[in-house]
């Protein structure tokens, strides 16, 4: 790294550090503004350092394009990126996410009513969760074809067991005294489930749902490497790497990051409204 590049990077880092340090000790009336500004400034600082390093050290765009080039490609490729987003995120990831979530809820309730099934399903769940996606994705592509249906199946398998394990653990979280109290009120299994056990299990359930958001995106994108129509984020990434169009690869990564952050934030927002009573939600 040359002297001017090093000085520029250190100067940008120092300015960003100073601004965030001042914000951290400021007495602004609205703390939410600070919680937004600090990560935004930190992210902008990293992007500016990235831009300076690539420009001033002469790194080839084939190796690492600067953020400005990625932004330009992003703006010029919005129609392509939108079609890829619909194919991979909306059809593949979200469909598989919903199927896996519904299946996990159904199996968790069945397992909750059977000790034998509980003892059997959890070890199998741990085994299935450890299966590599590069192993199961080609199988589903062979079974269901190369369109989004096979990607949804991969995602459903990936998210099923993390959600299932968390639901089962959450349903066990209530104490025997609480369950006995419900029985003294004349509540049956289903009344106890919906009025006591499921509400108490919500922190566990949302923990599984948040973990599954990232798994869903990873599963849908990686599965497209093993067979896909001429559309989709995984398809676009693999073909762009072959053409050395790294700016397009990074544009797809930006779309995936935005989609993943949005989905995770939506689940976290719902969690805050549903589990407002839990100590983790208290400010």
């Amino acid at each position: 790294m040359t002297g001017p590049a090093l000085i520029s990077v250190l100067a940008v880092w120092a300015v960003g550090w100073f601004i965030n340090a001042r914000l951290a000790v400021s007495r602004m009336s609205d703390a939410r503004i600070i919680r937004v500004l600090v990560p935004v400034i930190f992210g902008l600082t990293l992007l500016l350092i990235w831009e300076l390093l690539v420009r001033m050290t002469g790194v080839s765009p084939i190796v690492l394009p600067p953020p400005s080039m990625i932004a330009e490609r992003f703006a010029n490729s919005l129609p392509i990126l939108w079609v890829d987003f619909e194919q991979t995120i909306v059809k593949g990831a979200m469909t598989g996410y919903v199927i896996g979530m519904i299946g996990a809820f159904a199996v968790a309730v069945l397992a909750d009513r059977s000790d034998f099934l509980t003892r059997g399903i959890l070890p199998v769940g741990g085994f299935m969760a450890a299966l590599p996606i590069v192993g199961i994705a080609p199988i589903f592509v062979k079974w269901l074809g190369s369109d989004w249906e096979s990607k949804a199946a991969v995602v459903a398998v990936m998210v099923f067991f993390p959600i299932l394990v968390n639901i089962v653990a959450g349903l066990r979280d209530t104490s025997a005294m609480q369950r006995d109290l419900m029985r003294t009120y004349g509540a049956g299994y289903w009344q106890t489930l919906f009025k006591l056990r499921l509400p108490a299990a919500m922190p566990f359930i949302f923990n599984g749902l948040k973990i599954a958001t990232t798994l869903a995106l990873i599963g849908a994108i990686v599965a497209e490497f093993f067979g896909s129509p001429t559309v989709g984020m995984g398809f676009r990434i693999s073909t762009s790497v072959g053409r050395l169009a790294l700016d397009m690869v990074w544009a797809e990564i930006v779309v995936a990051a935005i989609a993943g952050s949005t989905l995770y934030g939506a689940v976290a927002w719902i969690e805050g409204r549903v589990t407002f009573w839990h100590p983790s939600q208290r400010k």
Side-chain angles (χ1 to χ4, degrees), residues 99-117:
I99 293 173
M101 177 181 62
I102 295 173
F105 270 96
V107 174
V109 173
L110 292 175
D112 183 62
R113 304 208 67 180
S114 170
D115 291 336
F116 172 77
L117 187 57

Side-chain angles (χ1 to χ4, degrees), residues 1-9 56:
M1 183 184 298
T2 62
L6 179 60
I7 294 173
S8 300
V9 168
M56 299 185 72

Side-chain angles (χ1 to χ4, degrees), residues 12-277:
V12 171
W13 179 259
V15 171
W17 184 279
F18 174 79
I19 295 174
N20 272 346
R22 297 291 296 177
L23 286 173
V25 298
S26 66
R27 298 181 179 180
M28 294 179 64
S29 58
D30 194 348
R32 291 176 297 180
I33 298 178
I34 296 178
R35 288 199 297 268
V36 172
L37 285 178
V38 170
V40 168
I41 293 173
F42 182 76
L44 291 176
T45 301
L46 292 181
L47 289 176
L48 186 54
I49 290 175
W50 178 358
E51 183 80 22
L52 288 173
L53 284 176
V54 172
R55 296 291 186 185
M56 299 185 72
T57 57
V59 177
S60 172
I62 296 177
V63 178
L64 181 65
S68 59
M69 181 180 294
I70 298 171
E72 182 180 359
R73 169 67 75 169
F74 186 95
N76 294 333
S77 305
L78 286 177
I80 296 175
L81 295 173
W82 176 253
V83 171
D84 291 344
F85 170 81
E86 285 186 321
Q87 174 74 13
T88 303
I89 305 300
V90 177
K91 295 180 180 179
M94 293 305 302
T95 303
Y97 184 86
V98 172
I99 293 173
M101 177 181 62
I102 295 173
F105 270 96
V107 174
V109 173
L110 292 175
D112 183 62
R113 304 208 67 180
S114 170
D115 291 336
F116 172 77
L117 187 57
T118 301
R119 290 193 295 268
I121 198 70
L122 292 182
V124 174
F127 171 78
M128 293 296 294
L131 291 178
I133 183 176
V134 295
I136 63 175
I139 296 175
F140 281 110
V141 170
K142 287 291 185 181
W143 287 352
L144 303 176
S146 61
D147 210 345
W148 64 267
E149 291 87 352
S150 58
K151 317 309 179 291
V154 172
V155 171
V157 171
M158 290 188 67
V159 306
F160 175 81
F161 291 102
I163 298 176
L164 172 65
V165 170
N166 278 275
I167 296 174
V168 172
L171 292 177
R172 293 177 176 178
D173 193 48
T174 54
S175 65
M177 183 178 295
Q178 291 172 317
R179 294 191 294 271
D180 290 340
L181 180 62
M182 291 295 292
R183 280 194 291 268
T184 61
Y185 291 152
Y189 173 81
W190 294 107
Q191 287 178 309
T192 303
L193 177 67
F194 287 109
K195 295 184 178 181
L196 171 65
R197 303 181 69 200
L198 272 180
M202 282 301 166
F204 292 87
I205 294 173
F206 277 104
N207 183 56
L209 292 177
K210 288 188 291 187
I211 293 172
T213 56
T214 56
L215 292 176
L217 298 182
I218 294 171
I221 294 173
V222 174
E224 290 184 343
F225 292 165
F226 299 94
S228 175
T230 57
V231 66
M233 299 174 68
F235 166 80
R236 198 75 56 194
I237 289 173
S238 62
T239 56
S240 297
V241 168
R243 295 187 293 109
L244 300 180
L246 270 295
D247 52 348
M248 189 63 185
V249 174
W250 279 99
E252 294 283 0
I253 292 174
V254 170
V255 173
I258 294 173
S261 300
T262 303
L263 181 57
Y264 185 94
V267 175
W269 182 84
I270 297 172
E271 178 187 18
R273 299 306 182 271
V274 174
T275 62
F276 59 89
W277 48 268

